[in-house]
Amino acid sequence: MSQPLYGAIEAGGTKFVCAVGSGPDDLRTARFPTSTPAATMAPVIDFFRQLNSGRLAAIGIGSFGPIDLHKDSPDYGRITSTPKPGWQNFDLCGTVAAALGVPIGFDTDVAASALGEGRWGGARGLSDFLYLTVGTGVGGAAVVEGRVLHGLIHPEMGHVRIPHDTVRDPFAGSCPYHADCFEGLACGPAMNARWGVPAQQLPPDHEAWALEANYIALGLVNFALTLSPQRMLLGGGVMQQPHIFELVRDDFARLLNGYVQHDEVLHHLDSYIVPPSLGGDAGVLGGFVLAEQARKEQQ
Amino acid sequence: MSQPLYGAIEAGGTKFVCAVGSGPDDLRTARFPTSTPAATMAPVIDFFRQLNSGRLAAIGIGSFGPIDLHKDSPDYGRITSTPKPGWQNFDLCGTVAAALGVPIGFDTDVAASALGEGRWGGARGLSDFLYLTVGTGVGGAAVVEGRVLHGLIHPEMGHVRIPHDTVRDPFAGSCPYHADCFEGLACGPAMNARWGVPAQQLPPDHEAWALEANYIALGLVNFALTLSPQRMLLGGGVMQQPHIFELVRDDFARLLNGYVQHDEVLHHLDSYIVPPSLGGDAGVLGGFVLAEQARKEQQ
């Protein structure tokens, strides 16, 4: 018999990406703009009903947050305290499960992307890695022994504190909670606020990139020393400038100063700090992995 | 039949603590000063030979480092690049295994303490927690889903970078690799160098403690946001001042600023950031857990 067919939803603040398939080779996707829950979910549900005729084994959802991931919580599967109008406390998992009657896997959007990259992309074959996205915000997912680390809730790596040299960079930071935390210094909107133009309009030789690379390297040093990953994947809008990777690797090596005595970290940063390889498909492909896990748990 | 009898070794830079038992209630220990490997290991081996008469099911070792923890490495079980004379490349596991002929579990000293606290101490019943020691150095072990996180090598949490306000604290930091990393700012020798007296001689109302608590809180915020632990245990010489815990909790709450929306973090920091509860026995009790794991892997 052929392998099971899965569904996936990458639930984002601006669009929902839906997919059916079993991996990168038989992927079919569709996108729907995010509006109200009712207006967004109707075409999402229709997509799965039309495409699969009841053959879906499970659906995996990677969602924007904050979300409740605790299976013993009454709010499990819900989007919780988002400022997005209409979505507060929306039962995303329950709505999909009720409409389609299949097991549902659920995690954060960044966790889903990490799982996709771990199965088919830039972290294939690794048990322990970090997936970090630097864009509108900064978010990270850690995979430890093949599973997404959740702990008490889930990590919020964008909000770690890093050194901020206010002489070199007087910008106060853009985070409404912490001002100059990692995200507050390094996210796309912080770059825009600091330099007066969007990041993608800053030329590659602009001083903005060396400063940005320094902040990203400081964050990565802290994650590397705390999680000891086998590789770190950096995605998101800010990382679309290919030249920034070399700047980040140089600063990472300088900051670590030979302390982590492993060949990969000492001599192969070009394969240790890398872009993801699945592009925009990582989230829905990770949704297939979440769907597979949900199916196994029900069996 | 009674439960198996285990051995444990807490291998430290100044002493080796050896133990036989199955838990806190039947613990027998002995201490031997650390000198050369030969002069240290002879009484260690004798201790186990005399006490158990061949009844030990396994021995667990928590060791000072750096050590090689990769089971597929030719150097597994060895102390590697320590500056301690005579101990470079010493085959600690192999020496104990050859002399006593039992399965050997092996991890860092801080990982062993974490496992002890997780089974019998301040983290009992938790699947995800952090054990941090602030003393001569700063070291941490993360337990994730019940297992010590290793990853590529093992974490080196003491060396994360945290903000350093050089106006408030002009001290340059004591870390030979990174100057003002977390350990370089917050370890016992850094306090001694900054204030001119050992930490234990600084009175509780000395400004040193508010600064120290701030650095520890900055480190904890980063670990909490990266690992999402259910609890954080803080041990080591510097943490022997009971009044510092309240200072750390206050700063931790101020720095996090309500961002982690969980009752435990928002309202119960007195049970979220705590001292270990096993005192000096955590390391050898964790050795029993390592021994148990080694025995199960051999079965």
Side-chain angles (χ1 to χ4, degrees):
Chain A
M1 204 188 132
S2 64
Q3 51 189 332
L5 198 66
Y6 293 117
I9 301 173
E10 185 181 7
T14 59
K15 65 178 185 291
F16 273 48
V17 185
C18 299
V20 170
S22 60
D25 297 335
D26 62 352
L27 186 66
R28 281 182 294 177
T29 65
R31 295 168 180 227
F32 308 102
T34 308
S35 55
T36 64
T40 308
M41 296 311 294
V44 166
I45 302 296
D46 278 350
F47 169 82
F48 290 111
R49 282 203 173 123
Q50 290 172 11
L51 266 187
N52 88 90
S53 324
R55 293 183 298 113
L56 281 192
I59 293 176
I61 305 174
S63 177
F64 71 100
I67 57 177
D68 192 326
L69 291 174
H70 277 87
K71 291 190 177 167
D72 53 353
S73 160
D75 291 329
Y76 173 78
R78 289 178 185 268
I79 293 166
T80 57
S81 59
T82 177
K84 212 166 170 52
W87 290 89
Q88 293 92 346
N89 211 30
F90 176 67
D91 187 1
L92 181 52
C93 278
T95 301
V96 178
L100 296 165
V102 293
I104 307 289
F106 188 54
D107 214 317
T108 64
D109 43 9
V110 65
S113 293
L115 288 172
E117 292 287 341
R119 177 72 63 90
W120 291 288
R124 191 163 44 176
L126 301 182
S127 61
D128 294 69
F129 63 93
L130 172 73
Y131 179 93
L132 192 78
T133 172
V134 185
T136 310
V138 175
V143 171
V144 176
E145 298 198 8
R147 297 168 58 87
V148 174
L149 185 157
H150 289 137
L152 184 71
I153 312 180
H154 51 71
E156 286 282 1
M157 299 185 200
H159 296 269
V160 297
R161 301 300 174 101
I162 56 173
H164 174 199
D165 179 347
T166 54
V167 176
R168 180 181 182 188
D169 173 26
F171 178 62
S174 68
C175 174
Y177 286 87
H178 314 117
D180 61 351
C181 64
F182 182 24
E183 175 173 300
L185 291 170
C187 68
M191 292 190 78
N192 195 339
R194 182 186 292 115
W195 302 108
V197 291
Q200 64 268 30
Q201 290 178 25
L202 293 163
D205 60 350
H206 193 286
E207 61 179 313
W209 294 109
L211 183 68
E212 180 70 10
N214 182 239
Y215 290 139
I216 294 171
L218 282 162
L220 292 187
V221 160
N222 286 3
F223 301 141
L225 291 168
T226 306
L227 295 162
S228 194
Q230 297 163 311
R231 189 171 296 159
M232 300 194 284
L233 277 62
L234 308 187
V238 169
M239 304 310 297
Q240 300 311 306
Q241 292 267 349
H243 75 286
I244 198 177
F245 276 87
E246 216 39 51
L247 297 174
V248 169
R249 291 183 193 117
D250 287 351
D251 251 10
F252 180 87
R254 182 182 57 77
L255 288 163
L256 214 50
N257 195 22
Y259 193 75
V260 174
Q261 293 281 326
H262 190 285
D263 190 54
E264 194 68 24
V265 180
L266 291 174
H267 303 300
H268 300 287
L269 284 185
D270 52 338
S271 60
Y272 189 70
I273 298 173
V274 299
S277 69
L278 298 176
D281 292 334
V284 287
L285 288 171
F288 292 161
V289 179
L290 290 170
E292 182 187 84
Q293 291 174 357
R295 180 170 176 251
K296 283 186 181 161
E297 281 169 22
Q298 284 236 340
Q299 281 175 336
Chain B
M1 205 188 128
S2 66
Q3 52 188 329
L5 197 67
Y6 294 118
I9 302 172
E10 185 182 6
T14 58
K15 65 177 184 290
F16 273 48
V17 185
C18 298
V20 170
S22 60
D25 298 335
D26 62 352
L27 187 65
R28 282 182 291 175
T29 64
R31 297 170 177 224
F32 308 102
T34 308
S35 55
T36 65
T40 308
M41 296 311 293
V44 166
I45 301 296
D46 277 351
F47 170 81
F48 291 111
R49 282 203 173 124
Q50 289 172 11
L51 266 186
N52 88 88
S53 323
R55 294 183 296 113
L56 282 190
I59 294 176
I61 306 174
S63 177
F64 71 99
I67 57 178
D68 191 326
L69 290 174
H70 277 88
K71 291 191 178 166
D72 52 355
S73 160
D75 291 329
Y76 173 77
R78 288 178 185 266
I79 293 167
T80 57
S81 59
T82 177
K84 211 166 171 51
W87 290 90
Q88 294 93 345
N89 212 31
F90 177 66
D91 187 1
L92 181 52
C93 278
T95 300
V96 178
L100 296 165
V102 293
I104 307 290
F106 188 53
D107 213 319
T108 63
D109 42 8
V110 64
S113 294
L115 288 171
E117 292 287 340
R119 176 72 61 91
W120 291 288
R124 192 164 44 179
L126 301 182
S127 60
D128 293 68
F129 63 93
L130 173 73
Y131 179 92
L132 191 78
T133 172
V134 185
T136 310
V138 176
V143 172
V144 176
E145 297 198 9
R147 296 167 57 87
V148 174
L149 186 157
H150 288 136
L152 183 70
I153 311 181
H154 51 71
E156 286 283 359
M157 300 186 199
H159 295 270
V160 298
R161 301 299 174 101
I162 56 173
H164 174 199
D165 179 347
T166 54
V167 175
R168 180 181 181 190
D169 174 25
F171 177 63
S174 69
C175 174
Y177 286 88
H178 315 116
D180 62 352
C181 64
F182 181 25
E183 175 173 299
L185 291 169
C187 68
M191 294 190 76
N192 194 338
R194 182 186 290 115
W195 303 106
V197 292
Q200 63 268 29
Q201 291 179 24
L202 294 163
D205 60 350
H206 192 287
E207 62 179 313
W209 294 110
L211 182 69
E212 180 70 10
N214 182 240
Y215 289 139
I216 294 170
L218 282 163
L220 292 187
V221 160
N222 286 3
F223 301 142
L225 291 168
T226 306
L227 294 163
S228 194
Q230 296 163 312
R231 189 172 294 160
M232 300 193 284
L233 278 61
L234 309 187
V238 169
M239 304 309 297
Q240 299 311 307
Q241 292 268 347
H243 76 286
I244 197 177
F245 276 87
E246 218 37 55
L247 297 174
V248 169
R249 291 182 193 117
D250 288 351
D251 251 11
F252 180 86
R254 182 182 58 76
L255 288 164
L256 213 51
N257 195 23
Y259 193 75
V260 174
Q261 292 282 326
H262 190 285
D263 191 52
E264 194 68 25
V265 179
L266 291 174
H267 304 298
H268 300 288
L269 284 185
D270 53 337
S271 60
Y272 189 69
I273 297 172
V274 299
S277 69
L278 298 177
D281 291 335
V284 288
L285 288 171
F288 292 161
V289 180
L290 289 170
E292 183 186 84
Q293 291 174 356
R295 179 171 176 251
K296 283 186 180 159
E297 281 169 22
Q298 284 236 340
Q299 279 174 340

